[in-house]
Each structure stands twice: as C-alpha cells, then as structure tokens.
Amino acid sequence: MAVTTHAAPPTAAKPRSGSFRPIALELWHDKAGMIGFTVIVLLILMAVFAPLIAPYDPAIQSVAARLKPPAWLPKGSWEHVLGTDQLGRDVLSRVIYGARASLLVGTSVVLLAGTFGVLFGLFAGFKGGRIDDLMMRLVDIQVAFPGLLMILLIISAVGPSLSTMIVVLAVTNWMIYARVVRGIVLSVRQTPYVEAAEMIGCKPGRVLFKHILPNLTSPLLTLGILEFTNIVLAEAAMSFLGLGVQPPATSWGLDVSNGKDYIFVAWWLITFPGLSISITVLSINLFANWLRVTTDPQEREKRFARLKAVERRRNGAPAGAPAKA
Amino acid sequence: MGAFLLRRIFQGMLVVLGVTLVVFVATRMVGDPAKVMLPLSATDAQRAAFNHQMGLDRPLGAQFITFVGDLSTLDFGDSLWQRRPAIQIVFERLPNTLALIGLGLGLAVTLSLPLGALAALRPGGVADRVVVFGGLFGLSLPQFWLGLLMIMFFAVTLKILPTSGVGGPSHYILPAVTLAIPSLARLMMLVRSSVIDELNQQYVRTARAKGMRFHTILFGHALRNALVPFLTLAGWEFISALAGYTVVVETVFAWPGLGLTAMKAIERSDLFLLQAIVFTVAIMIVIVNILLDVLYKLIDPRIKLA
C-alpha cells in the first residue's frame, strides 16, 4: 500500500461543509466515481472552449469531402479524424459543439425546474394542513399527465426551438423536486431544533432557509444530478425527433437523426454522436452513484461496517484499532 | 374500498380536466391553429375562413365550452391527414403500441427478477458488479441510438432480422428489446437493492438460525417482500411507456403504433389527431393508475387505501 503524505483516516473522516480535502481523497479512492468526475470536467471544458478545440466550423459544408470515413479506415484521412457527414461537415467538430446543447439544456432545465420544485415543496411542507393537501394534489394530477405526448403536442403547437424545449422540459419535470423536498420538510419539522428555533421566535423565512434547507442539500444534489442525465437524454430524444434543437445549430441527438438514413453506407455518422451521449450520461451516473453513497450517512455506516468485516476476516483479529497506513 | 374508488375516479377526472385545459391553452391561445395547419402560402382571407369554419373566431369561453362538449362525446374532429374521425385512427393503432409495450415490459420484468436477485446474493461479488455496471450502462444508452445500432448490427450486417415495420414475429424482436433495455436496467437495480435490504433483516437471521433452507428464505421471503416496490416501479414503467416513451422506438423501427402516428400527425400539422391521441392516452393512464392501486392492496394487505 502506497504511503501518501496526506493520509486521512479511511472513511472515518467526517466531511463538514468547507473541508474539501477528505471528500476529494474519497473520490480519488473510488475508481468509477473518479473516472466519471474526470470525464464530466473534460466535457464541460470541451463545451466551453469548443471554438478553440474544434478543427472546423461545425456548420461548414463541403461537397468535395462528403461521407469521408474516419481516419483509421482505408479511405479516411487525418484531415477529418472522425470522418464527414453527407453534407461534408466534420463529424469531430460537430461532436465537440454538440456538447454545448446537452449541457446548456441540462443545466437550465435542472435549475429552472429545481428552483420552482424546491420552493413549491418547501412552502407546501412548511404550511402543512389544507394548503399542503391542495398543493400536493396538484402535483399528483400533473404526474398523471401523459408527459411526453403533452410535450410533443405543446411543441408542435408553439413551434420547436431551443428555448421552447427548455421551458417545456422544465414545466414537465419539476414535480419530483417538490415531492422529495416536501417529504424531508415534513420529517425535519418534527425535530427538536426546528421547534426550538420557532419557540425563540425565528421568522418562518429564517427557519425555512437557515434550519430546514441545509438538510436538503445532499438529497437535492444527488436528485439534481440524476435529473440532469434524464434531461440530457430527453434533449437528445427530442432533437432526434426534430422537435428540439433546430439546424443549423448542432446537437448530438440531431446528428444521430441526420445520420440515420445513411446507416447502410456510413456507420460513423450515428456512432460518434450517440457514443458522446452515452459517455456523458454514464459518467454522470457513475459520479452520482459515488456521491449518493458518500453523502448518505446510512450508506457510509454500511460501508464502514463492510470495511471492518473485511479487515477482521483478513487479520483474524478483532477490529477496533485503526489500521496502520 | 368504495369510497376509495370514488375518490380516485374524481381525481382521475381532475387529471383529464387538467389535460383539457393545457391542450386548450397550448393549441388555441399560445399557438395559432391556422398558422400550424394551413400551408405558408395561405392568404389572410383563407386563414379567416379557416378560423370561422373551425369556430376559432368566437370568444374563448364559448370555444372552451364547445371543446369540452366535443371531448365528452369522444369527438375530436376529423383528422386533416386521413380525412376521417381522428378517434378511429387512434383505435386502429392502439393495439400495436400495447403489443409492443407488453412484450418489451414482459421481457424486462422476467429478466430483472433473477438478475437482480443473483446480484444481491453476494454484494460486491462478480455477478453484482456485472449487474450494477450493466444497469448503469443500460440507463446511459439513448433508446434511439440503441435501436439504430441494433438495426445496423442485426439487420444490415448480419441480415438475420428485419430492419423495421410490422410482419412476422421476427419484427417484434428489435423494437421490444430496445424498449425493454432501460426498464430492465431500472427494475434490475431495484430488485438488487431491495433483496439486499431484505436479506439483512432480522427475520432472515431468525430463519437461518432455525435451519431453514436458504432458497426457501430467498424465494419464500426475501424476494416476496421485495415484490411490493418492484410492482410499483413496474407499474410506473408501464404508465410512462404509455405516456409517450414508445414514440422514439416506434419512430426508429417504423412501428405503426400511437407514437409513430403522433409523429406523423406533427409532421402533417394534424392537431386534431394529436389531440385525440393525447386524450385517449390520458384516460387510459387514469384507469391503469386506479387498477394498480387496487392491485397493491391485494398484494400487500398492510397498504391502506386513502
């Protein structure tokens, strides 16, 4: 076992807000989570610096260079590493620019829907009684809507565009936040410290945001990240159906849709944008999986117990003394 | 039970009313049917005539009342595309979608139970890692891409399955598998985690201590208790498939169900047909939701119907 200079006691470190080193170390030790995190950072950099990285303008067409295969195939050339599409556009550049649509839509929808859902859930849970009943009934009703079909109908009535898609996805995806937040608020309200805060005369706003909201950070963070993957997939699917990002803008889903008529002659057209979507969602899932286990006290306890059991089996001695680094 | 059913039916009616309101607002107030349904070259006079013919120049309140009245008799207007009542087309296409969902979800449900239970036997073991990673992987593949890849591999390269459309039983394989994969991933992960939780319960320790055989514990107790959350998720999968998540699969495989019809209706700006599809599905979802609630009660007597 390699000896590191900053050897934190394994899993015994209690992460407090503001102490990032133990958390970063834990992430470093979880291979899958670390890979996911690294890919996410790279994707964000790729989206932000797309004009600097991409070899070509993603919209520039060239009749001379149509349907060129990727560089490693017999007819390919290193001028177009991942080949070109039926209009002679560079696939690599389009894949790089495509990250922008996914991340932009994912972020704005999660922020919009999350803010509304959290406020809704906080208010319902805090007010309780009849108002809570009424508000949650509204949530139940909207959950029972035929979601995707309504989205299709609204978009076809209003006309597809990037902003329409963001608004519609936000309007149809806020309910889960409201439900989660309301559930937690109801249980936290019963705790003595919230009662005490109310007793000494804290205003409702202060109780809500200072005492109740901090309990929500960990579950909300995980929920937001998982919702982000759902939105990325939804954006891709809608752009694939022609109801999301509109040409000449680029999106991975749109590119798969453009390439689907050429699967007999040019497999690379659908392969690379589709692969980008999968890699993005998979990395976020891996990271979220790590985050959920790490920020949940119960999961930490289980993991700690498992670690101790392994140690005990290995040493044949009662566990208790901390393992030496 | 009777009071419960009444309350759920009332709530279902509220859902349908909500759908009505949203559809009305989206199509009549935010969108402009004349702009959507008439060609770009239509003159102002033609637009006005269209609006008059459809009653779109009357006050909104009057329009809404007619709209609700028509809906309550399942009259959604004639499809502009096929020139016949929209509801007829819906009933023609619905069986195709239901067959696809039934097959896909059936596959997901039957595979997820053994795979999830296998993973749960040794958390952290080889089978568990394969299942967890497979599950995360299955959740990360966009369905349309998965479908196209399978067409490319099985239909274009190996030439053993048809690319799309309907026909013999072989036409069902690729669309059903594509539809099943994400559901299978979610269900499998759920079975895994609930069986792990159940196997850590006190009653399992007691059963073991008194010498009960392990497979009786697993099949008779752990899996059975894990069935309640499993059915909740399976019901949700069914509803969300019905709610439009077959659109993508149907488009990729040219499967003539409701989803593909909805896409065709959008292409042809056929708002009436689209409206008919949305309402039929909304009513079906309401009914399925009520049936599911009753089913939970039958499976788990502890659940109180409220």
Side-chain angles (χ1 to χ4, degrees), chain B residues 4-210:
Chain B
F4 158 77
L5 274 181
L6 269 182
R7 209 172 311 131
R8 287 309 311 261
I9 291 169
F10 177 68
Q11 199 183 335
M13 282 160 66
L14 284 183
V15 170
V16 176
L17 184 71
V19 172
T20 314
L21 263 175
V22 173
V23 170
F24 183 80
V25 169
T27 56
R28 307 295 199 276
M29 289 162 73
V30 183
D32 179 0
K35 203 171 120 195
V36 177
M37 304 221 263
L38 291 182
L40 278 175
S41 56
T43 61
D44 284 349
Q46 280 170 326
R47 286 175 202 280
F50 175 85
N51 280 339
H52 185 72
Q53 188 198 344
M54 297 292 166
L56 294 171
D57 50 354
R58 294 184 302 143
L60 278 177
Q63 278 192 47
F64 187 69
I65 290 169
T66 330
F67 185 65
V68 173
D70 286 348
L71 294 183
S72 58
T73 55
L74 285 184
D75 175 9
F76 299 98
D78 282 4
S79 156
L80 294 181
W81 163 34
Q82 302 205 354
R83 305 271 164 207
R84 58 195 177 118
I87 193 76
Q88 266 184 19
I89 305 175
V90 172
F91 284 136
E92 259 173 42
R93 299 298 177 87
L94 185 61
N96 284 335
T97 294
L98 289 181
L100 183 61
I101 296 178
L103 212 63
L105 276 191
L107 197 66
V109 165
T110 38
L111 286 180
S112 60
L113 279 171
L115 287 176
L118 183 71
L121 289 185
R122 297 196 68 190
V126 178
D128 184 40
R129 285 185 197 190
V130 171
V131 163
V132 168
F133 192 75
L136 282 178
F137 201 68
L139 284 180
S140 308
L141 295 174
Q143 259 179 340
F144 57 87
W145 189 59
L146 181 68
L148 288 173
L149 284 189
M150 290 208 294
I151 290 180
M152 223 155 64
F153 189 68
F154 292 106
V156 177
T157 309
L158 296 181
K159 296 190 170 55
I160 49 173
L161 289 172
T163 50
S164 59
V166 277
S170 60
H171 283 84
Y172 280 88
I173 299 177
L174 290 184
V177 170
T178 309
L179 189 69
I181 297 271
S183 304
L184 172 61
R186 274 187 292 265
L187 288 168
M188 190 170 78
M189 305 278 259
L190 179 80
V191 172
R192 172 187 171 270
S193 66
S194 15
V195 172
I196 288 180
D197 282 350
E198 291 298 332
L199 287 180
N200 282 330
Q201 298 276 331
Q202 295 288 344
Y203 74 84
V204 169
R205 187 179 297 184
T206 311
R208 272 187 166 173
K210 71 171 187 170

Side-chain angles (χ1 to χ4, degrees), chain A residues 148-149 270-271 274-275 278 282 285, chain B residues 11 18 31 140 142 145 243-244 263 274:
Chain A
L148 199 67
L149 282 174
I270 64 159
T271 307
L275 202 60
S278 311
L282 185 63
N285 273 334
Chain B
Q11 199 183 335
S140 308
W145 189 59
M263 285 314 294
L274 198 55

Side-chain angles (χ1 to χ4, degrees), chain A residues 20-302:
Chain A
F20 280 109
R21 182 166 288 161
I23 295 221
L25 258 176
E26 273 187 52
L27 179 58
W28 180 248
H29 287 303
D30 183 288
K31 245 179 277 160
M34 190 62 207
I35 293 174
F37 182 72
T38 316
V39 175
I40 297 170
V41 172
L42 289 178
L43 275 169
I44 295 174
L45 291 177
M46 189 169 101
V48 172
F49 297 109
L52 299 177
I53 306 168
Y56 297 88
D57 183 319
I60 279 196
Q61 307 178 1
S62 150
V63 188
R66 287 170 56 213
L67 293 175
K68 286 252 195 280
W72 58 89
L73 288 182
K75 281 185 184 165
S77 80
W78 287 99
E79 273 174 43
H80 298 284
V81 181
L82 298 183
T84 58
D85 68 2
Q86 73 276 16
L87 298 173
R89 297 174 296 192
D90 184 50
V91 172
L92 176 64
S93 307
R94 291 186 70 78
V95 164
I96 293 174
Y97 271 90
R100 292 186 150 186
S102 293
L103 298 187
L104 175 72
V105 173
T107 317
S108 19
V109 170
V110 169
L111 284 181
L112 272 177
T115 312
F116 182 72
V118 169
L119 290 178
F120 193 95
L122 274 178
F123 190 76
F126 193 69
K127 279 281 174 186
R130 198 167 290 169
I131 294 179
D132 176 43
D133 266 359
L134 194 73
M135 288 174 82
M136 294 325 282
R137 198 50 58 84
L138 271 177
V139 170
D140 290 345
I141 288 176
Q142 206 190 328
V143 167
F145 275 18
L148 199 67
L149 282 174
M150 298 283 279
I151 294 180
L152 296 185
L153 184 128
I154 295 173
I155 289 185
S156 64
V158 180
S161 75
L162 189 70
S163 48
T164 314
M165 175 166 57
I166 291 176
V167 172
V168 170
L169 283 177
V171 167
T172 46
N173 282 292
W174 61 274
M175 296 87 77
I176 178 113
Y177 303 95
R179 278 189 169 168
V180 168
V181 167
R182 177 213 176 234
I184 298 174
V185 170
L186 279 187
S187 65
V188 172
R189 279 215 75 175
Q190 313 288 331
T191 55
Y193 70 87
V194 171
E195 274 180 11
E198 281 178 339
M199 211 66 77
I200 61 171
C202 286
K203 293 205 178 85
R206 188 181 165 85
V207 176
L208 258 184
F209 292 102
K210 279 269 173 183
H211 298 282
I212 295 180
L213 198 62
N215 289 287
L216 292 164
T217 31
S218 157
L220 273 183
L221 203 63
T222 317
L223 178 64
I225 291 175
L226 288 176
E227 275 295 295
F228 187 90
T229 63
N230 284 338
I231 303 296
V232 167
L233 286 175
E235 182 274 326
M238 282 165 66
S239 298
F240 174 79
L241 293 173
L243 297 168
V245 173
Q246 299 295 309
T250 57
S251 141
W252 293 329
L254 191 65
D255 277 359
V256 174
S257 161
N258 286 335
K260 76 171 186 290
D261 297 329
Y262 296 86
I263 51 174
F264 295 92
V265 287
W267 56 267
W268 57 94
L269 290 189
I270 64 159
T271 307
F272 296 118
L275 202 60
S276 315
I277 305 170
S278 311
I279 291 175
T280 306
V281 175
L282 185 63
S283 342
I284 301 174
N285 273 334
L286 288 176
F287 178 67
N289 206 28
W290 169 82
L291 191 71
R292 185 181 57 79
V293 175
T294 304
T295 53
D296 182 351
Q298 277 185 345
E299 290 283 347
R300 290 183 75 86
E301 211 169 274
K302 274 190 218 163

